[in-house]
Structures are given as structure tokens and as C-alpha cells.
Amino acid sequence: VIRIRGINQVAPKARKVLQLLRLRQINNGVFIKLNKATINMLRIAEPFVAWGTPNLKSVRELIYKRGFVKVNGKRTPIDSNDVIEQNMGRFNMICAEDIVHEIFTVGPNFKYASNFLWPFKLNTPTGGWRKKTNHFVEGGDFGNREDKINELLRKMV
């Protein structure tokens, strides 16, 4: 899920949902497990986010190029697998590839892996947006774009 619109004129309920999704800044991205609760949250925040199902290449690219982790509440770069092993060893994750695997397969420890990753700070897409105020199906940008999210991620990483 990527936040595509700024902080002005956001309804309180949508603002709360974006907070819960950890999308406090424009062009921030997070991994989310899709279930009934999160789908309803995405429905509320829909005009402010673009979302879809990333492929393995996108997940790997995000984590290796833009990946930062939460260590003692601080944003720490993934400069070695030791950082991951010390904090995620108890979930049987010892390297960056383990986190990629857990996120991509939505394994049993997805929640911990996703929360361990700091929200990704992405660039605005090269070539710009189409139209932020329109839904993806109307030739805009927000809403569910399923596997087309990979195309957008290439432009933003």
C-alpha cells in the first residue's frame, strides 16, 4: 500500500486509518496482509492510497534498496544481516532474504516482519502521476491496481 496524497483535507476517519496503516507521509509504502479488516480499512482510505499485489522482484527490490528496520524504535539501515538476526532471530529470520520470503509468502510471522520494516520512503514516480484525484480504473491513480502496482513501484524505487 502506498500513500499518494498529502495531509491536507483528510477526513478524520481516513486520517486515523492511514495512521493505523503507518502511512503518515506522502509516498510512504507498507506491506499489509489482506483480510476482511484491512480491506475495509483500505476502502475508507482509498482516495489517498494506491495498492496492489507486488511480485517477488518488487518485494526484493524494496527491501534491498529502500529497506530500513526498526531497532529500539529507531530507523536503522539494513547494512548487514546481523541487525536482522539479533532482532528477528526468535522468528527464525536471520537474513534479508528470510524477510523477503516471509513478506512475499505472507507466512506465519508476516506481522512481525512487516512491523520490523520501517515504512518505505519512496520517490514520486518518474514520469509523474496520471491523476491523483481519480480512481485507477477511471484513468487516475488511487485505489486497487492489483498486479499493476509493480509498474508503479519500478518508477518509485
Side-chain angles (χ1 to χ4, degrees), residues 83-153:
V83 180
I84 296 168
E85 192 169 0
Q86 285 159 11
N87 294 284
M88 298 301 283
R90 62 181 179 276
F91 300 117
N92 216 354
M93 288 184 231
I94 55 170
C95 63
E97 203 49 49
D98 288 344
I99 290 187
V100 170
H101 179 266
E102 192 66 26
I103 296 284
F104 183 68
T105 57
V106 191
N109 298 320
F110 173 88
K111 180 178 139 187
Y112 307 109
S114 180
N115 199 38
F116 178 57
L117 288 168
W118 199 270
F120 299 98
K121 293 174 182 282
L122 303 167
N123 289 327
T124 44
T126 44
W129 298 102
R130 282 157 55 191
K131 190 171 185 192
K132 280 189 193 179
T133 51
N134 276 11
H135 196 289
F136 184 68
V137 294
E138 298 164 338
D141 284 303
F142 76 73
N144 184 4
R145 45 175 75 208
E146 291 163 8
D147 52 347
K148 297 275 191 288
I149 195 81
N150 299 305
E151 222 171 282
L152 178 66
L153 286 170

Side-chain angles (χ1 to χ4, degrees), residues 3 14 17-18 26 30 58 72 79 97 107 111 126 155-156:
R3 177 155 184 179
V17 168
L18 288 165
I26 192 169
V30 288
S58 297
N72 304 328
D79 43 16
E97 203 49 49
K111 180 178 139 187
T126 44
K155 294 178 177 177
M156 295 180 83

Side-chain angles (χ1 to χ4, degrees), residues 43-66:
R43 204 169 290 142
I44 292 166
E46 195 164 35
F48 307 97
V49 296
W51 56 286
T53 323
N55 58 22
L56 183 58
K57 185 181 176 203
S58 297
V59 173
R60 188 173 282 136
E61 213 169 60
L62 273 172
I63 291 173
Y64 282 116
K65 284 188 183 174
R66 295 270 173 175

